[in-house]
Amino acid sequence: MTFKEVIKESISNNHRLEISYKDYNGKSSLRQISNVEYSNEFQKNSSKNNEHISAYCHLRNEKRTFKLNRIEKIRFVESNKNTNWVNNSSGGCYIATMAYGSYEHPQVLILRKFRDDVLHSSFIGKLFVKVYYSVSPKFVIVLKDQITINRIIRKILDKLIENIIK
C-alpha cells in the first residue's frame, strides 16, 4: 500500500493510524490518530484540500490538523490490517514549497521526482537529503515572509530544474 492509499483507507473505513510526525524544528514524534478526514483549514483555495488532514490525536486528546508532507511514515494500528510502516515518499521539499507557494507546484513536483529517482539512489544523495531535511525547516521559518529572497530562491531553483530536465 502507498502512503496516500493508507490515508484513503483510514478515511473510508475509519481505521486508527500511527504516524511519525515532524514538527517545524525537525523533531519527530509518534502519534496515534483516528477519525481522519481531509482538511482545508489552512488552504487559501478551499477546493484544494489534500495537503492537510484533521484527526483526533490520542497523544494530545484533541482534534488536530496535520500537514501531510510533515508525516514521515504511517501505519495501521488494527491487528487485522497491514501494520508495516509506509514511508511518505512525497515528504519534504520545504524550501521549494515555500518559494513556489504550493507543495503541488509543477516545479516542486520535478524536484521531488529528482529526489526520489536520483538522490535516493546513492549514498551521497541520501546523505544530502538527510541533511537538507534537518536544516531546511529552520530556513523556512526564517525566510517564509521574505519576498525578495523567495524570488531569488525561485530563480536559482528554476535554473537547477532546467539542468535536471535536460
Side-chain angles (χ1 to χ4, degrees):
M1 254 185 157
T2 67
F3 181 84
K4 290 194 180 211
E5 289 171 337
V6 171
I7 291 174
K8 186 176 179 181
E9 171 78 15
S10 175
I11 291 170
S12 297
N13 297 306
N14 199 25
H15 292 299
R16 182 184 280 207
L17 300 173
E18 184 172 28
I19 62 173
S20 174
Y21 194 69
K22 186 178 278 194
D23 68 16
Y24 285 110
N25 295 316
K27 184 179 177 191
S28 297
S29 64
L30 290 178
R31 301 168 185 216
Q32 284 196 14
I33 60 173
S34 58
N35 301 322
V36 178
E37 60 188 11
Y38 283 109
S39 171
N40 61 2
E41 180 178 352
F42 297 104
Q43 297 299 318
K44 293 175 184 165
N45 177 359
S46 62
S47 66
K48 187 176 180 187
N49 65 352
N50 61 351
E51 293 181 8
H52 295 82
I53 56 172
S54 66
Y56 181 79
C57 177
H58 296 270
L59 177 69
R60 302 271 175 112
N61 291 321
E62 63 184 7
K63 189 168 186 171
R64 307 276 297 186
T65 300
F66 300 95
K67 192 166 187 174
L68 288 181
N69 67 0
R70 290 181 39 215
I71 298 175
E72 299 173 301
K73 56 187 179 178
I74 193 168
R75 69 178 173 184
F76 292 106
V77 174
E78 288 87 5
S79 60
N80 62 343
K81 299 298 294 176
N82 179 358
T83 58
N84 293 328
W85 286 106
V86 176
N87 290 321
N88 185 359
S89 63
S90 61
C93 294
Y94 299 104
I95 293 173
T97 300
M98 172 196 67
Y100 291 109
S102 170
Y103 185 67
E104 298 299 326
H105 189 281
Q107 300 291 71
V108 177
L109 296 176
I110 291 169
L111 290 168
R112 287 189 351 232
K113 183 168 176 28
F114 178 76
R115 176 205 59 206
D116 293 344
D117 295 348
V118 177
L119 294 178
H120 280 160
S121 66
S122 72
F123 173 77
I124 297 295
K126 288 177 188 175
L127 182 62
F128 171 81
V129 171
K130 186 174 183 174
V131 170
Y132 172 82
Y133 286 154
S134 68
V135 173
S136 63
K138 296 170 183 86
F139 280 111
V140 169
I141 291 168
V142 173
L143 301 175
K144 67 180 175 185
D145 296 322
Q146 305 296 319
I147 295 168
T148 304
I149 292 173
N150 282 323
R151 282 188 194 136
I152 293 168
I153 291 170
R154 267 194 309 275
K155 287 183 182 190
I156 292 168
L157 290 174
D158 286 341
K159 290 291 183 189
L160 175 65
I161 291 166
E162 279 181 34
N163 289 322
I164 289 171
I165 59 178
K166 283 185 181 180

